[in-house]
């Protein structure tokens, strides 16, 4: 448990007490993006329903049926992730500005022999969040594409 806490402390400026709230806010924004992306299923369902006609109790494929391209179904799918990525960018700048408040520890940080400590403590957590968000977005795109291929009738 102590080593896990030590690793987390390296991701934020020393003495930064809002790390956990920042993580919760990032997770909330990412989850909101994921939930908003579920509208893909509504679009896919509507497209599939437009491919068929019902004759009595029998469902038949329309002769003039056209399948919407996958790109059209996920159009605007990336928009809900914008607040998440903007939040992370703002947090990187906020981490840097943290050094200028209170004890003005920026002067101490600049005198350290290891020059990478200051930028790393400002951007490590936001960059990790961006990588995680991009991975989630990419995996959802692959999942949705697989579902699209399974749902669309062959030969269209």
């Amino acid at each position: 448990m102590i080593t896990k806490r030590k690793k987390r402390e390296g991701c934020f400026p020393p003495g930064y007490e809002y790390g956990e709230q920042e993580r919760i806010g990032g997770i909330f924004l990412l989850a909101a993006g994921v939930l908003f992306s579920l509208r893909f299923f509504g679009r896919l369902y509507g497209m599939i329903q437009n491919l068929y006609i019902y004759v009595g109790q029998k469902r038949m494929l329309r002769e003039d049926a056209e399948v919407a391209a996958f790109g059209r179904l996920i159009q605007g799918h990336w928009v809900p992730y914008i607040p998440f990525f903007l939040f992370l960018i703002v947090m990187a700048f906020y981490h840097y500005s943290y050094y200028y408040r209170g004890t003005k520890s920026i002067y101490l940080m600049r005198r350290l022999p290891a020059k990478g400590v200051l930028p790393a403590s400002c951007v490590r957590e936001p960059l990790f969040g961006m990588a995680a968000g991009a991975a989630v977005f990419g995996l959802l795109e692959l999942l949705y594409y697989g579902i699209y291929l399974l749902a669309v009738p062959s030969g269209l």
Side-chain angles (χ1 to χ4, degrees):
M1 188 74 151
I2 293 173
T3 58
K4 197 174 194 181
R5 179 170 266 178
K6 276 282 194 205
K7 287 180 184 178
R8 284 185 181 172
E9 287 175 2
C11 295
F12 296 104
Y16 187 74
E17 62 258 349
Y18 304 112
E20 203 56 41
Q21 288 111 340
E22 189 175 311
R23 278 194 185 104
I24 291 169
I27 289 170
F28 174 76
L29 288 172
L30 183 60
V34 169
L35 288 174
F36 191 70
S37 75
L38 293 177
R39 65 191 171 123
F40 164 80
F41 292 108
R43 289 179 176 178
L44 181 65
Y45 179 76
M47 182 205 61
I48 297 295
Q49 291 301 315
N50 287 336
L51 295 176
Y52 295 98
I53 58 172
Y54 291 91
V55 179
Q57 296 289 337
K58 199 172 189 183
R59 184 171 90 157
M60 298 176 60
L61 192 62
R62 288 183 11 212
E63 291 179 20
D64 61 340
E66 289 184 20
V67 176
F70 178 71
R72 263 195 36 209
L73 283 179
I74 62 164
Q75 189 174 11
H77 178 69
W78 54 270
V79 173
Y81 296 95
I82 291 174
F84 171 71
F85 288 111
L86 286 176
F87 172 75
L88 293 174
I89 291 169
V90 167
M91 285 297 103
F93 286 108
Y94 185 75
H95 292 167
Y96 186 73
S97 73
Y98 178 79
Y99 287 108
Y100 286 94
R101 286 183 259 135
T103 61
K104 302 218 184 247
S105 58
I106 188 71
Y107 302 115
L108 176 64
M109 294 300 287
R110 286 186 178 164
R111 290 187 309 193
L112 289 175
K115 298 297 180 194
V117 175
L118 175 65
S121 67
C122 294
V123 299
R124 188 175 293 147
E125 188 74 16
L127 285 178
F128 174 72
M130 286 183 186
V136 166
F137 179 71
L139 287 173
L140 280 176
E141 294 291 317
L142 287 174
L143 176 70
Y144 291 166
Y145 186 64
I147 292 170
Y148 171 82
L149 291 177
L150 289 173
V152 172
S154 60
L156 289 181

